Coordinates of all heavy atoms in Angstrom, one line a residue:
M1 N 109.8 143.1 175.4 CA 110.4 144.1 176.2 C 111.3 144.9 175.3 O 112.2 144.4 174.6 CB 111.3 143.4 177.3 CG 112.0 144.4 178.2 SD 113.0 143.6 179.5 CE 111.8 142.5 180.3
D2 N 111.1 146.3 175.3 CA 111.9 147.1 174.5 C 113.1 147.7 175.3 O 113.2 147.4 176.5 CB 111.1 148.3 173.9 CG 110.5 149.2 174.9 OD1 110.8 149.1 176.1 OD2 109.7 150.1 174.5
T3 N 113.9 148.5 174.6 CA 115.1 149.0 175.2 C 114.8 149.9 176.5 O 115.5 149.8 177.5 CB 116.0 149.8 174.2 OG1 116.2 149.0 173.1 CG2 117.3 150.3 174.8
K4 N 113.8 150.7 176.4 CA 113.5 151.6 177.5 C 113.0 150.8 178.7 O 113.4 151.1 179.8 CB 112.4 152.6 177.1 CG 112.9 153.7 176.2 CD 111.9 154.7 175.9 CE 112.5 155.7 174.9 NZ 111.8 157.0 174.9
E5 N 112.2 149.8 178.5 CA 111.7 149.0 179.6 C 112.9 148.2 180.2 O 113.0 148.1 181.4 CB 110.7 148.0 179.1 CG 110.1 147.2 180.2 CD 108.9 146.3 179.7 OE1 108.6 146.3 178.5 OE2 108.4 145.5 180.6
L6 N 113.8 147.7 179.4 CA 115.0 147.0 179.9 C 115.9 147.9 180.7 O 116.3 147.5 181.8 CB 115.8 146.4 178.7 CG 116.9 145.5 179.1 CD1 116.5 144.3 179.9 CD2 117.6 145.0 177.8
E7 N 116.1 149.1 180.2 CA 116.9 150.1 181.0 C 116.2 150.4 182.4 O 116.9 150.4 183.4 CB 117.0 151.4 180.2 CG 118.1 151.3 179.1 CD 118.3 152.6 178.4 OE1 117.4 153.6 178.6 OE2 119.3 152.8 177.7
K8 N 114.9 150.5 182.4 CA 114.2 150.7 183.7 C 114.4 149.5 184.6 O 114.7 149.7 185.8 CB 112.7 150.9 183.4 CG 112.0 151.2 184.7 CD 110.6 151.8 184.4 CE 109.8 152.0 185.6 NZ 110.5 152.6 186.8
N9 N 114.4 148.3 184.0 CA 114.6 147.1 184.8 C 116.0 146.9 185.3 O 116.2 146.2 186.3 CB 114.2 145.8 184.0 CG 112.7 145.7 183.8 OD1 111.9 146.5 184.4 ND2 112.3 144.9 182.9
L10 N 116.9 147.6 184.7 CA 118.3 147.5 185.1 C 118.7 148.6 186.1 O 119.9 148.7 186.5 CB 119.2 147.6 183.8 CG 119.2 146.4 182.9 CD1 120.0 146.7 181.6 CD2 119.9 145.2 183.7
E11 N 117.8 149.6 186.4 CA 118.2 150.6 187.3 C 118.7 150.1 188.6 O 119.7 150.6 189.1 CB 117.0 151.5 187.5 CG 116.7 152.4 186.4 CD 115.4 153.3 186.6 OE1 114.8 153.2 187.7 OE2 115.1 154.1 185.7
K12 N 118.1 149.1 189.2 CA 118.6 148.6 190.5 C 120.0 148.0 190.3 O 120.8 148.1 191.2 CB 117.6 147.6 191.1 CG 118.0 147.1 192.4 CD 116.9 146.3 193.1 CE 117.4 145.8 194.5 NZ 116.4 144.9 195.1
F13 N 120.2 147.3 189.2 CA 121.5 146.7 188.9 C 122.6 147.8 188.9 O 123.6 147.7 189.6 CB 121.5 146.1 187.5 CG 122.8 145.7 186.9 CD1 123.6 144.6 187.4 CD2 123.4 146.5 185.9 CE1 124.8 144.3 186.9 CE2 124.6 146.2 185.4 CZ 125.3 145.1 185.9
F14 N 122.3 149.0 188.3 CA 123.3 150.1 188.3 C 123.5 150.6 189.7 O 124.7 150.9 190.1 CB 122.9 151.2 187.3 CG 122.8 150.8 185.9 CD1 121.6 151.0 185.1 CD2 123.8 150.1 185.3 CE1 121.5 150.7 183.8 CE2 123.8 149.7 183.9 CZ 122.6 150.0 183.2
E15 N 122.5 150.7 190.4 CA 122.6 151.3 191.8 C 123.4 150.3 192.7 O 124.2 150.8 193.4 CB 121.2 151.4 192.4 CG 120.5 152.7 191.9 CD 121.1 154.0 192.4 OE1 121.7 154.0 193.5 OE2 120.9 155.0 191.7
V16 N 123.1 149.0 192.6 CA 123.8 148.1 193.4 C 125.3 148.0 193.0 O 126.2 147.8 193.9 CB 123.1 146.7 193.4 CG1 123.9 145.6 194.1 CG2 121.7 146.8 194.1
C17 N 125.6 148.1 191.7 CA 127.0 148.1 191.3 C 127.7 149.2 192.0 O 128.8 149.0 192.5 CB 127.1 148.3 189.8 SG 126.7 146.8 188.8
K18 N 127.1 150.4 192.0 CA 127.7 151.6 192.7 C 127.8 151.3 194.2 O 128.9 151.6 194.8 CB 126.9 152.8 192.4 CG 127.5 154.0 193.1 CD 126.6 155.3 192.8 CE 127.2 156.5 193.5 NZ 126.3 157.6 193.4
T19 N 126.8 150.9 194.8 CA 126.8 150.7 196.3 C 127.8 149.7 196.7 O 128.5 149.8 197.7 CB 125.4 150.2 196.7 OG1 124.4 151.1 196.3 CG2 125.3 149.9 198.2
K20 N 128.1 148.6 195.9 CA 129.0 147.6 196.2 C 130.5 148.0 195.8 O 131.4 147.2 196.0 CB 128.6 146.3 195.6 CG 127.4 145.7 196.2 CD 127.2 144.3 195.8 CE 126.1 143.6 196.6 NZ 126.1 142.2 196.5
G21 N 130.6 149.2 195.3 CA 132.0 149.6 194.9 C 132.4 149.3 193.5 O 133.6 149.3 193.2
Y22 N 131.4 148.9 192.7 CA 131.7 148.6 191.3 C 130.9 149.5 190.3 O 130.1 149.0 189.5 CB 131.3 147.1 191.0 CG 132.1 146.2 191.9 CD1 131.4 145.5 192.9 CD2 133.4 145.9 191.7 CE1 132.1 144.6 193.8 CE2 134.1 145.0 192.6 CZ 133.4 144.4 193.6 OH 134.1 143.5 194.4
P23 N 131.1 150.8 190.4 CA 130.2 151.7 189.6 C 130.6 151.6 188.1 O 131.8 151.3 187.8 CB 130.6 153.1 190.1 CG 132.0 152.9 190.7 CD 132.0 151.5 191.2
L24 N 129.6 151.7 187.3 CA 129.9 151.7 185.8 C 129.9 153.2 185.3 O 129.1 154.0 185.7 CB 128.7 151.0 185.1 CG 128.6 149.5 185.6 CD1 127.4 148.9 184.8 CD2 129.8 148.7 185.3
E25 N 130.9 153.5 184.5 CA 131.0 154.8 184.0 C 130.0 155.0 182.9 O 129.3 156.0 182.9 CB 132.4 155.0 183.4 CG 133.5 155.1 184.4 CD 134.9 155.1 183.7 OE1 135.0 155.8 182.7 OE2 135.8 154.4 184.2
T26 N 130.0 154.1 181.9 CA 129.1 154.2 180.8 C 128.6 152.8 180.5 O 129.2 151.8 180.9 CB 129.8 154.8 179.5 OG1 130.9 153.9 179.2 CG2 130.3 156.2 179.8
Y27 N 127.5 152.8 179.8 CA 126.9 151.5 179.3 C 126.2 151.8 178.0 O 125.9 152.9 177.7 CB 126.0 150.9 180.4 CG 124.6 151.6 180.5 CD1 123.6 151.2 179.7 CD2 124.5 152.7 181.3 CE1 122.3 151.8 179.8 CE2 123.3 153.4 181.3 CZ 122.2 152.9 180.6 OH 121.0 153.6 180.7
C28 N 125.9 150.7 177.3 CA 125.1 150.7 176.1 C 124.4 149.4 176.0 O 125.0 148.4 176.2 CB 126.1 151.0 174.9 SG 125.2 151.1 173.4
L29 N 123.1 149.5 175.6 CA 122.4 148.3 175.3 C 122.3 148.2 173.7 O 121.7 149.1 173.1 CB 121.0 148.4 175.9 CG 120.9 148.1 177.4 CD1 119.5 148.5 177.9 CD2 121.2 146.7 177.7
I30 N 122.7 147.1 173.2 CA 122.7 146.9 171.7 C 121.7 145.8 171.5 O 121.9 144.7 171.9 CB 124.1 146.6 171.2 CG1 125.1 147.7 171.5 CG2 124.0 146.3 169.7 CD1 126.5 147.3 171.3
E31 N 120.7 146.1 170.7 CA 119.7 145.1 170.4 C 120.1 144.3 169.2 O 120.6 144.8 168.2 CB 118.3 145.8 170.1 CG 117.2 144.7 169.9 CD 115.9 145.4 169.7 OE1 115.8 146.6 169.6 OE2 114.9 144.6 169.7
D32 N 119.9 143.0 169.3 CA 120.2 142.0 168.3 C 119.1 140.9 168.3 O 119.2 140.0 169.2 CB 121.6 141.5 168.4 CG 122.0 140.6 167.3 OD1 121.4 140.7 166.2 OD2 122.9 139.7 167.5
N33 N 118.2 140.9 167.4 CA 117.1 139.9 167.4 C 116.4 139.7 168.7 O 116.2 138.6 169.2 CB 117.7 138.5 167.0 CG 118.2 138.5 165.5 OD1 117.6 139.2 164.7 ND2 119.2 137.8 165.3
N34 N 116.0 140.9 169.3 CA 115.2 140.9 170.5 C 116.0 140.4 171.7 O 115.4 140.1 172.8 CB 113.9 140.1 170.4 CG 112.8 140.7 171.3 OD1 112.8 141.9 171.7 ND2 111.8 139.9 171.6
E35 N 117.3 140.3 171.6 CA 118.2 140.1 172.7 C 119.1 141.3 172.8 O 119.2 142.0 171.8 CB 118.9 138.8 172.6 CG 118.1 137.6 172.6 CD 118.9 136.3 172.5 OE1 119.9 136.3 171.8 OE2 118.5 135.3 173.1
Y36 N 119.8 141.5 173.9 CA 120.6 142.6 174.1 C 122.0 142.3 174.5 O 122.2 141.3 175.3 CB 120.0 143.6 175.1 CG 118.7 144.2 174.6 CD1 117.5 143.6 174.8 CD2 118.7 145.5 174.0 CE1 116.3 144.1 174.3 CE2 117.5 146.0 173.5 CZ 116.3 145.3 173.7 OH 115.2 145.9 173.3
I37 N 123.0 143.1 174.1 CA 124.3 143.0 174.6 C 124.5 144.2 175.4 O 124.2 145.4 175.0 CB 125.4 143.0 173.4 CG1 125.2 141.8 172.6 CG2 126.8 143.1 174.0 CD1 126.0 141.8 171.3
L38 N 124.9 144.1 176.7 CA 125.1 145.2 177.6 C 126.6 145.5 177.6 O 127.4 144.7 178.0 CB 124.7 144.8 179.0 CG 125.0 145.8 180.1 CD1 124.3 147.1 179.8 CD2 124.6 145.2 181.5
E39 N 127.0 146.6 176.9 CA 128.4 147.0 176.9 C 128.6 147.9 178.2 O 127.8 148.8 178.5 CB 128.7 147.9 175.7 CG 128.8 147.1 174.4 CD 129.3 148.0 173.3 OE1 129.1 149.2 173.3 OE2 129.9 147.4 172.3
V40 N 129.7 147.6 178.9 CA 130.0 148.4 180.1 C 131.5 148.9 180.1 O 132.3 148.2 179.5 CB 129.7 147.6 181.4 CG1 128.3 147.3 181.5 CG2 130.6 146.4 181.5
K41 N 131.7 150.0 180.7 CA 133.0 150.5 180.9 C 133.2 151.1 182.3 O 132.3 151.8 182.8 CB 133.3 151.6 179.9 CG 134.7 152.2 179.8 CD 134.8 153.2 178.7 CE 136.1 153.7 178.6 NZ 136.3 154.7 177.5
A42 N 134.3 150.7 183.0 CA 134.5 151.2 184.3 C 136.0 151.1 184.7 O 136.7 150.2 184.3 CB 133.7 150.3 185.3
N43 N 136.4 152.1 185.5 CA 137.8 152.1 185.9 C 138.2 150.9 186.7 O 139.3 150.4 186.6 CB 138.1 153.4 186.7 CG 138.2 154.6 185.8 OD1 138.5 154.5 184.6 ND2 137.9 155.7 186.4
W44 N 137.3 150.4 187.6 CA 137.7 149.3 188.5 C 137.9 148.0 187.7 O 138.7 147.2 188.1 CB 136.6 149.1 189.5 CG 135.2 148.7 189.0 CD1 134.2 149.5 188.7 CD2 134.8 147.4 188.7 NE1 133.1 148.8 188.2 CE2 133.5 147.5 188.2 CE3 135.3 146.1 188.8 CZ2 132.7 146.4 187.9 CZ3 134.6 145.0 188.4 CH2 133.3 145.1 188.0
I45 N 137.3 147.9 186.5 CA 137.5 146.7 185.7 C 139.0 146.7 185.2 O 139.6 145.6 185.2 CB 136.5 146.6 184.5 CG1 135.1 146.5 185.0 CG2 136.9 145.5 183.5 CD1 134.0 146.6 184.0
N46 N 139.5 147.8 184.8 CA 140.9 147.9 184.3 C 141.9 147.5 185.4 O 143.0 147.2 185.0 CB 141.2 149.3 183.8 CG 140.3 149.7 182.7 OD1 139.8 148.8 181.9 ND2 140.0 151.0 182.5
K47 N 141.6 147.6 186.6 CA 142.5 147.2 187.7 C 142.5 145.7 188.0 O 143.4 145.3 188.8 CB 142.1 148.0 189.0 CG 142.3 149.5 188.8 CD 141.8 150.3 190.0 CE 141.8 151.8 189.7 NZ 141.2 152.5 190.7
L48 N 141.6 145.0 187.5 CA 141.6 143.5 187.7 C 142.5 142.8 186.7 O 142.8 143.4 185.7 CB 140.1 143.0 187.5 CG 139.1 143.5 188.4 CD1 137.7 143.0 188.0 CD2 139.4 143.2 189.9
D49 N 142.9 141.6 187.1 CA 143.9 140.9 186.3 C 143.2 140.1 185.1 O 143.9 139.6 184.3 CB 144.8 140.0 187.1 CG 144.1 139.0 187.9 OD1 142.8 139.1 188.0 OD2 144.8 138.2 188.6
S50 N 141.8 140.1 185.2 CA 141.1 139.4 184.1 C 139.7 139.9 184.0 O 139.1 140.3 185.0 CB 141.1 137.9 184.2 OG 140.3 137.5 185.3
C51 N 139.2 139.9 182.8 CA 137.8 140.3 182.6 C 136.8 139.3 183.2 O 135.7 139.6 183.5 CB 137.5 140.4 181.1 SG 138.2 141.9 180.3
S52 N 137.3 138.0 183.3 CA 136.4 137.0 183.9 C 136.0 137.4 185.3 O 134.9 137.1 185.8 CB 136.9 135.6 183.8 OG 138.1 135.5 184.5
K53 N 136.9 138.0 186.0 CA 136.6 138.4 187.4 C 135.5 139.5 187.4 O 134.6 139.5 188.2 CB 137.8 138.9 188.1 CG 138.8 137.7 188.5 CD 140.0 138.2 189.2 CE 140.9 137.0 189.5 NZ 142.1 137.4 190.3
A54 N 135.6 140.4 186.5 CA 134.6 141.5 186.4 C 133.3 140.9 186.0 O 132.2 141.3 186.5 CB 135.1 142.5 185.3
L55 N 133.3 139.9 185.0 CA 132.0 139.3 184.6 C 131.4 138.5 185.8 O 130.2 138.5 185.9 CB 132.3 138.4 183.5 CG 132.5 139.1 182.1 CD1 132.9 138.1 181.1 CD2 131.3 139.9 181.7
D56 N 132.2 137.9 186.6 CA 131.7 137.2 187.8 C 130.9 138.2 188.7 O 129.8 138.0 189.2 CB 132.8 136.6 188.6 CG 133.4 135.3 188.0 OD1 132.7 134.8 187.0 OD2 134.5 134.9 188.4
V57 N 131.6 139.4 189.0 CA 130.9 140.4 189.8 C 129.6 140.9 189.1 O 128.6 141.0 189.8 CB 131.9 141.6 190.0 CG1 131.2 142.8 190.6 CG2 133.1 141.2 190.9
L58 N 129.7 141.3 187.9 CA 128.5 141.8 187.2 C 127.4 140.8 187.1 O 126.2 141.2 187.2 CB 129.0 142.4 185.8 CG 129.9 143.6 185.9 CD1 130.4 143.9 184.5 CD2 129.3 144.8 186.5
N59 N 127.7 139.6 186.7 CA 126.7 138.5 186.6 C 126.0 138.3 188.0 O 124.8 138.1 188.0 CB 127.3 137.3 186.1 CG 127.4 137.3 184.6 OD1 126.6 137.9 183.9 ND2 128.5 136.7 184.1
D60 N 126.8 138.3 189.0 CA 126.2 138.1 190.4 C 125.2 139.2 190.7 O 124.1 138.9 191.2 CB 127.3 138.0 191.5 CG 128.0 136.7 191.4 OD1 127.6 135.7 190.8 OD2 129.1 136.6 192.1
I61 N 125.6 140.4 190.5 CA 124.8 141.6 190.8 C 123.6 141.5 189.8 O 122.4 141.8 190.3 CB 125.6 142.9 190.6 CG1 126.7 143.0 191.7 CG2 124.6 144.1 190.8 CD1 127.6 144.1 191.6
L62 N 123.8 141.2 188.6 CA 122.6 141.2 187.6 C 121.6 140.1 188.1 O 120.4 140.4 188.1 CB 123.1 140.8 186.2 CG 122.1 140.8 185.1 CD1 121.6 142.2 184.9 CD2 122.7 140.2 183.9
W63 N 122.1 139.0 188.5 CA 121.2 137.9 189.0 C 120.4 138.3 190.2 O 119.3 138.0 190.4 CB 122.1 136.6 189.3 CG 121.2 135.5 189.6 CD1 120.8 135.0 190.8 CD2 120.6 134.6 188.6 NE1 120.0 133.9 190.7 CE2 119.9 133.6 189.4 CE3 120.6 134.5 187.2 CZ2 119.1 132.6 188.8 CZ3 119.8 133.5 186.6 CH2 119.1 132.6 187.4
D64 N 121.1 139.0 191.1 CA 120.5 139.4 192.4 C 119.5 140.6 192.2 O 118.6 140.8 193.1 CB 121.5 139.9 193.4 CG 122.4 138.7 193.9 OD1 121.9 137.5 193.8 OD2 123.5 139.0 194.5
T65 N 119.6 141.4 191.2 CA 118.8 142.6 191.1 C 117.8 142.6 190.0 O 117.0 143.6 189.8 CB 119.7 143.8 190.9 OG1 120.5 143.6 189.7 CG2 120.7 144.0 192.1
T66 N 117.7 141.6 189.2 CA 116.8 141.6 188.0 C 115.9 140.3 188.0 O 116.3 139.3 188.6 CB 117.5 141.7 186.7 OG1 118.4 140.6 186.5 CG2 118.3 143.0 186.6
N67 N 114.8 140.4 187.3 CA 113.9 139.2 187.2 C 114.4 138.3 186.0 O 115.3 138.7 185.3 CB 112.5 139.7 187.1 CG 112.2 140.5 185.8 OD1 112.9 140.4 184.8 ND2 111.3 141.4 185.9
A68 N 113.8 137.2 186.0 CA 114.2 136.2 184.9 C 114.0 136.7 183.5 O 114.9 136.5 182.6 CB 113.4 134.9 185.1
E69 N 112.9 137.5 183.3 CA 112.7 138.0 181.9 C 113.8 139.0 181.5 O 114.2 139.0 180.4 CB 111.3 138.7 181.9 CG 110.9 139.2 180.5 CD 110.8 138.1 179.5 OE1 110.5 136.9 179.8 OE2 111.0 138.4 178.3
T70 N 114.2 139.8 182.4 CA 115.2 140.8 182.1 C 116.5 140.0 181.8 O 117.2 140.4 180.9 CB 115.4 141.8 183.3 OG1 114.2 142.5 183.5 CG2 116.6 142.8 183.0
R71 N 116.9 139.1 182.7 CA 118.1 138.3 182.4 C 118.1 137.5 181.1 O 119.1 137.4 180.5 CB 118.4 137.3 183.6 CG 118.7 138.1 184.9 CD 119.2 137.1 186.0 NE 118.2 136.1 186.3 CZ 117.3 136.2 187.2 NH1 117.2 137.3 188.0 NH2 116.5 135.1 187.5
K72 N 116.9 137.1 180.7 CA 116.8 136.4 179.4 C 117.1 137.3 178.2 O 117.7 136.9 177.2 CB 115.4 135.8 179.2 CG 115.1 134.6 180.0 CD 113.7 134.1 179.7 CE 113.2 133.1 180.7 NZ 111.8 132.7 180.4
R73 N 116.8 138.6 178.4 CA 117.0 139.5 177.3 C 118.5 140.0 177.2 O 118.9 140.4 176.1 CB 116.2 140.8 177.5 CG 114.7 140.6 177.5 CD 114.3 140.3 176.1 NE 112.9 140.1 176.1 CZ 112.3 139.3 175.3 NH1 112.9 138.5 174.5 NH2 110.9 139.1 175.3
I74 N 119.3 139.8 178.3 CA 120.7 140.2 178.2 C 121.5 138.9 177.7 O 121.7 138.0 178.4 CB 121.2 140.6 179.6 CG1 120.4 141.7 180.2 CG2 122.7 140.9 179.5 CD1 120.6 143.0 179.5
F75 N 121.8 139.0 176.4 CA 122.5 137.9 175.8 C 124.0 137.8 176.3 O 124.5 136.7 176.5 CB 122.4 138.0 174.3 CG 123.3 137.0 173.5 CD1 122.8 135.7 173.4 CD2 124.4 137.4 172.9 CE1 123.6 134.8 172.8 CE2 125.2 136.5 172.3 CZ 124.8 135.1 172.2
A76 N 124.6 139.0 176.5 CA 126.0 139.0 176.8 C 126.3 140.3 177.5 O 125.6 141.3 177.3 CB 126.9 138.8 175.6
I77 N 127.3 140.3 178.3 CA 127.9 141.5 178.8 C 129.3 141.7 178.2 O 130.1 140.8 178.3 CB 128.1 141.5 180.4 CG1 126.7 141.3 181.0 CG2 128.8 142.8 180.9 CD1 126.7 141.2 182.5
S78 N 129.5 142.8 177.5 CA 130.7 143.1 176.8 C 131.5 144.2 177.6 O 130.9 145.3 177.9 CB 130.4 143.6 175.4 OG 131.6 143.9 174.8
I79 N 132.7 143.9 178.0 CA 133.5 144.8 178.8 C 134.4 145.6 177.8 O 135.2 145.0 177.0 CB 134.3 144.1 179.8 CG1 133.4 143.4 180.8 CG2 135.3 145.0 180.5 CD1 134.0 142.6 181.8
L80 N 134.4 146.9 177.9 CA 135.2 147.8 177.1 C 136.4 148.2 177.9 O 136.3 148.5 179.1 CB 134.4 149.0 176.6 CG 133.2 148.7 175.8 CD1 132.5 149.9 175.4 CD2 133.5 147.8 174.6
D81 N 137.6 148.3 177.3 CA 138.8 148.8 178.0 C 138.8 150.3 178.0 O 137.9 150.9 177.4 CB 140.0 148.1 177.5 CG 140.5 148.5 176.1 OD1 140.0 149.6 175.7 OD2 141.2 147.8 175.5
S82 N 139.8 150.9 178.6 CA 139.9 152.3 178.7 C 140.0 153.0 177.4 O 139.7 154.2 177.3 CB 141.0 152.7 179.6 OG 142.2 152.3 179.1
E83 N 140.4 152.4 176.3 CA 140.6 153.0 175.0 C 139.4 152.9 174.1 O 139.3 153.5 173.1 CB 141.8 152.4 174.3 CG 143.1 152.5 175.1 CD 143.5 153.9 175.4 OE1 143.4 154.8 174.4 OE2 143.9 154.2 176.5
E84 N 138.4 152.0 174.5 CA 137.3 151.7 173.7 C 136.1 152.6 174.1 O 136.0 153.0 175.3 CB 136.8 150.3 173.8 CG 137.8 149.3 173.2 CD 137.4 147.9 173.4 OE1 137.4 147.4 174.6 OE2 137.0 147.3 172.4
H85 N 135.3 152.9 173.2 CA 134.1 153.7 173.4 C 132.8 152.9 173.1 O 132.8 152.2 172.1 CB 134.1 155.0 172.6 CG 135.3 155.8 172.8 ND1 135.4 156.6 174.0 CD2 136.4 156.0 172.1 CE1 136.6 157.2 173.9 NE2 137.2 156.9 172.8
P86 N 131.8 153.0 173.9 CA 130.6 152.2 173.7 C 130.0 152.7 172.3 O 130.1 153.8 171.9 CB 129.7 152.5 174.8 CG 130.4 153.5 175.7 CD 131.7 153.8 175.1
H87 N 129.2 151.8 171.7 CA 128.5 152.1 170.5 C 127.5 153.3 170.7 O 127.3 154.1 169.8 CB 127.8 150.9 170.0 CG 128.7 149.8 169.5 ND1 129.2 148.8 170.2 CD2 129.3 149.7 168.3 CE1 130.0 148.1 169.5 NE2 130.1 148.6 168.3
C88 N 126.9 153.3 171.8 CA 126.1 154.5 172.2 C 126.6 154.9 173.5 O 127.2 154.1 174.3 CB 124.6 154.1 172.3 SG 124.2 152.8 173.5
Y89 N 126.5 156.2 173.8 CA 127.1 156.7 175.1 C 126.0 157.0 176.0 O 125.1 157.9 175.8 CB 127.9 157.9 174.8 CG 128.5 158.5 176.1 CD1 129.7 157.9 176.6 CD2 127.9 159.5 176.8 CE1 130.3 158.4 177.8 CE2 128.5 160.0 177.9 CZ 129.6 159.4 178.4 OH 130.2 159.9 179.6
K90 N 125.9 156.3 177.1 CA 124.9 156.6 178.2 C 125.7 156.5 179.5 O 126.3 155.5 179.8 CB 123.8 155.6 178.2 CG 123.0 155.7 176.9 CD 121.7 154.9 177.0 CE 121.0 155.0 175.7 NZ 119.8 154.3 175.7
E91 N 125.6 157.6 180.3 CA 126.1 157.5 181.6 C 125.2 156.7 182.5 O 124.0 156.8 182.3 CB 126.3 158.9 182.2 CG 127.5 159.6 181.6 CD 127.8 160.9 182.3 OE1 127.4 161.0 183.5 OE2 128.4 161.8 181.7
A92 N 125.7 156.0 183.4 CA 124.8 155.2 184.3 C 123.9 156.2 185.0 O 124.3 157.3 185.4 CB 125.6 154.4 185.2
S93 N 122.6 155.8 185.1 CA 121.6 156.7 185.6 C 121.7 157.2 187.0 O 121.1 158.1 187.4 CB 120.2 156.1 185.4 OG 120.2 154.8 186.1
Y94 N 122.6 156.5 187.8 CA 122.7 156.8 189.2 C 123.6 158.0 189.4 O 123.8 158.4 190.6 CB 123.1 155.6 190.0 CG 124.4 155.0 189.5 CD1 125.6 155.6 189.7 CD2 124.3 153.9 188.7 CE1 126.8 155.0 189.2 CE2 125.5 153.3 188.2 CZ 126.7 153.9 188.5 OH 127.8 153.3 188.0
K95 N 124.3 158.5 188.4 CA 125.3 159.6 188.6 C 124.6 160.9 189.0 O 123.6 161.2 188.6 CB 126.2 159.8 187.4 CG 127.2 158.6 187.3 CD 128.1 158.9 186.2 CE 129.3 157.9 186.3 NZ 130.3 158.2 185.3

């Protein structure tokens, strides 16, 4: 699975994040040995008292909206704070 296919498989994830009130401003998929790190940035994350709560939300939505193969490719979700910029800049496709 390449980056373009993975992004297509994540479209429902981005849509459901928005629908449930957890929209992502930007994201980036960083490939590392055929696995990916999903970097995300969102205002709602900054309002939580811990990143682990955001990861709980994102992991639940990821699990509900993607197949096993897609989830296997996502090695980690990295949360960026308001001062950080993703390695690549992509607005979530649902905007």
Side-chain angles (χ1 to χ4, degrees):
M1 179 179 307
D2 65 8
T3 305
K4 287 185 182 199
E5 185 178 358
L6 185 59
E7 283 183 344
K8 181 164 178 43
N9 291 348
L10 288 171
E11 285 177 359
K12 186 173 181 184
F13 167 75
F14 297 130
E15 283 291 333
V16 171
C17 283
K18 180 181 178 186
T19 302
K20 290 191 171 200
Y22 303 107
L24 301 176
E25 291 172 42
T26 61
Y27 74 93
C28 182
L29 286 168
I30 302 168
E31 186 176 6
D32 185 23
N33 293 328
N34 209 22
E35 292 181 328
Y36 293 84
I37 298 168
L38 174 61
E39 286 188 335
V40 297
K41 185 175 180 179
N43 286 332
W44 63 268
I45 294 173
N46 298 332
K47 297 174 185 170
L48 298 176
D49 56 357
S50 74
C51 285
S52 64
K53 289 182 181 182
L55 288 173
D56 287 344
V57 168
L58 295 172
N59 282 323
D60 286 348
I61 295 171
L62 184 70
W63 188 264
D64 291 342
T65 60
T66 60
N67 60 30
E69 183 62 27
T70 300
R71 291 189 303 269
K72 283 181 192 177
R73 296 287 183 218
I74 305 292
F75 173 74
I77 298 175
S78 177
I79 296 174
L80 303 178
D81 69 23
S82 60
E83 302 301 316
E84 294 178 289
H85 301 286
H87 290 93
C88 58
Y89 179 84
K90 294 186 180 182
E91 288 189 22
S93 59
Y94 53 77
K95 286 189 170 185

